[in-house]
Amino acid sequence: MKSKIWARALAFIVAFALSAGSALAQRDAATPGPPIQHYSPGQSAKAATPDTSGSAKSQLKTKSNASADATDVCSYTFSTGSGFTYLQFCVTVNGNITEFQSPADIEQLSPGGSNAFEGYGICDITNANTAYWDYADDGDSGNWNAPTKLSQTATSVKIERSTSDGAWTLTQTFALVPGAIPYAKITMELKNTSGETRRVLLLRYANAVPYTAPPFTENYSGTYESAWGWGDEYGLILQDVGVPVSISIWQRTAFAISTLDGPAPCNSEANYEANIVDGVGSVVNQITFTGLIKDESVTINQRYMQF
């Protein structure tokens, strides 16, 4: 069975890989980190290279970090297609995707009505590694203002949310994209409202559990622009769409972690694994901007898609 699984994974990587974060914790030098792609303005994005800086695995946040604002309740639901081309996903008021059903009857984030763990995180590296996150039913950091819905159509919703210290504003647009393989597109625009140039990491995370039963053991892996989880028949990928829109130097990576819980944004690679087979895991996609000037915004596009 495992050989069949790995054959499917290899075929998937070939079909979906695009041609074209630094590790904030200390990692054991003998344990390489995920591949990282670097980019400077005026240059083509460099090929991905492994991060070999040092880190030992550590305990991440727990549910006790959650505030009353964290929720996995659906507020906006979108659907298209039928059968293999079917997709239904929903978005919370805070900007989390807590249902992703594709193809029809295959739930990949909340199987059997289980709690959905999905969302976003920020690490303000310049400001003493201040972290902000919201992972739906997996909790949040408690330092966000209430969200504001900016717009809504039959196929999209746009949500803005600022940090309670006034340093950052995150605007997310969720859009339904129909087709032979439909997907949920997420545009994340991060604005530096701190009043000074800062180094910052922005990530997205999901505990992908494609169509399985307890104990929800799956297979997970990733490369610099996408990370994915898959079972015997179906899988879910979190993938960059194009490259970030920014005048800042950036570096990006995507990878699997060996926990159900989301990563601490300022220690996101602590539970990194190159490949997880028949185990518990999640997927992370992150980008670090090395010098985001005051009032500058950066935009990244990502998508969730079944395979």
Side-chain angles (χ1 to χ4, degrees):
M1 177 62 71
K2 289 183 180 179
S3 61
K4 177 183 176 183
I5 290 172
W6 282 109
R8 282 175 51 82
L10 180 60
F12 165 73
I13 293 169
V14 171
F16 286 98
L18 297 179
S19 60
S22 71
L24 302 179
Q26 292 299 307
R27 181 169 45 244
D28 186 339
T31 306
I36 294 176
Q37 184 182 38
H38 303 266
Y39 173 82
S40 297
Q43 298 179 355
S44 298
K46 297 179 180 179
T49 56
D51 175 5
T52 56
S53 60
S55 134
K57 295 187 177 180
S58 65
Q59 182 65 36
L60 300 185
K61 70 167 186 68
T62 64
K63 186 72 172 183
S64 61
N65 295 118
S67 75
D69 296 327
T71 180
D72 69 349
V73 175
C74 291
S75 293
Y76 315 102
T77 301
F78 308 96
S79 62
T80 183
S82 62
F84 187 78
T85 66
Y86 181 78
L87 167 61
Q88 177 171 296
F89 72 94
C90 76
V91 180
T92 72
V93 67
N94 292 328
N96 314 90
I97 293 181
T98 53
E99 177 195 9
F100 189 96
Q101 185 186 150
S102 185
D105 301 321
I106 307 300
E107 173 55 45
Q108 307 222 42
L109 285 176
S110 180
S114 59
N115 295 336
F117 292 2
E118 194 278 342
Y120 46 91
I122 299 171
C123 176
D124 189 335
I125 303 166
T126 300
N127 188 28
N129 284 351
T130 300
Y132 318 83
W133 71 86
D134 188 318
Y135 298 148
D137 209 55
D138 195 35
D140 70 356
S141 52
N143 51 0
W144 293 94
N145 290 329
T148 300
K149 182 180 72 174
L150 300 181
S151 63
Q152 182 181 3
T153 70
T155 58
S156 69
V157 64
K158 188 173 186 178
I159 299 168
E160 180 183 274
R161 200 175 190 192
S162 298
T163 58
S164 57
D165 59 8
W168 303 96
T169 297
L170 179 64
T171 303
Q172 301 185 89
T173 302
F174 300 84
L176 174 67
V177 181
I181 304 180
Y183 58 89
K185 182 180 179 182
I186 309 167
T187 299
M188 293 195 291
E189 179 184 348
L190 181 65
K191 184 176 183 178
N192 178 0
T193 53
S194 70
E196 64 178 7
T197 298
R198 292 194 176 179
R199 179 180 174 91
V200 63
L201 177 149
L202 175 64
L203 68 79
R204 191 144 210 114
Y205 140 85
N207 173 226
V209 281
Y211 195 59
T212 188
F216 301 115
T217 55
E218 297 286 348
N219 311 281
Y220 299 89
S221 191
T223 185
Y224 65 88
E225 53 81 33
S226 57
W228 54 89
W230 74 98
D232 290 343
E233 297 183 70
Y234 302 100
L236 179 67
I237 182 173
L238 171 58
Q239 182 180 48
D240 287 339
V241 179
V243 296
V245 179
S246 170
I247 62 173
S248 298
I249 297 171
W250 55 260
Q251 57 185 35
R252 66 176 176 178
T253 185
F255 50 92
I257 56 175
S258 57
T259 64
L260 296 176
D261 290 330
C266 296
N267 192 15
S268 56
E269 297 172 22
N271 289 290
Y272 161 73
E273 296 285 351
N275 298 292
I276 298 172
V277 180
D278 292 340
V280 170
S282 299
V283 296
V284 179
N285 190 318
Q286 69 183 36
I287 184 164
T288 302
F289 298 94
T290 60
L292 197 60
I293 63 175
K294 67 176 183 179
D295 297 323
E296 180 187 356
S297 296
V298 292
T299 301
I300 65 173
N301 293 292
Q302 298 177 336
R303 64 181 174 183
Y304 283 111
M305 182 170 59
Q306 61 105 338
F307 67 93

